[in-house]
Amino acid sequence: MTAYRTNLNRPGWQALVLFAAGFWLSISLCIDLLVMPSLYTAGMMTQANFATAGYEMFWWFNRVELICAGSVLTGLLVLRQGQDSFSVIVSGVRSRWAVGLGLVLLAIAACYTYWLTPEMSALVLQLSALTESASATPVLPAE
């Protein structure tokens, strides 16, 4: 009986996990600390179409978050599966924490994508209805 062992390129998977996590963190910080404050100071938040623009921006960002979270979790699972018998993490404590953290990050990204973003969309519709009804209400001249 021969044991089949796949040759997992460990540095390649580690680089993928670190790149995806670093890219995810950097794009989150860029949106939170650069894009949103600049939109606020430019006065876009007072415009009627800000909610639609924000929804569109977060829709794309949430899809990128899901790709990053999936890449991190996949890489962590591959790295956990490819452990050798002399690995530091052979007990599994660190790898369980890493996979658990990857699952939590994926759950957060999924909640943003499939729960919070649709709620923002509903808010956009409500705001649009309010602005349309306010503009459609005729203003009576003062007598």
Side-chain angles (χ1 to χ4, degrees), residues 53-121:
Y55 172 75
E56 185 72 22
M57 182 176 61
F58 283 114
W59 188 89
W60 282 105
F61 176 68
N62 288 335
R63 280 13 182 219
V64 171
E65 270 190 323
L66 283 176
I67 291 170
C68 289
S71 300
V72 167
L73 185 60
T74 301
L76 289 173
L77 288 171
V78 167
L79 287 173
R80 183 175 184 204
Q81 187 67 27
Q83 294 175 358
D84 57 350
S85 58
F86 299 107
S87 176
V88 176
I89 324 171
V90 80
S91 67
V93 174
R94 286 186 185 170
S95 63
R96 277 193 301 261
W97 276 100
V99 170
L101 183 61
L103 283 170
V104 167
L105 291 174
L106 181 63
I108 289 170
C111 285
Y112 283 166
T113 303
Y114 299 114
W115 178 68
L116 188 61
T117 304
E119 289 293 324
M120 284 177 57
S121 174

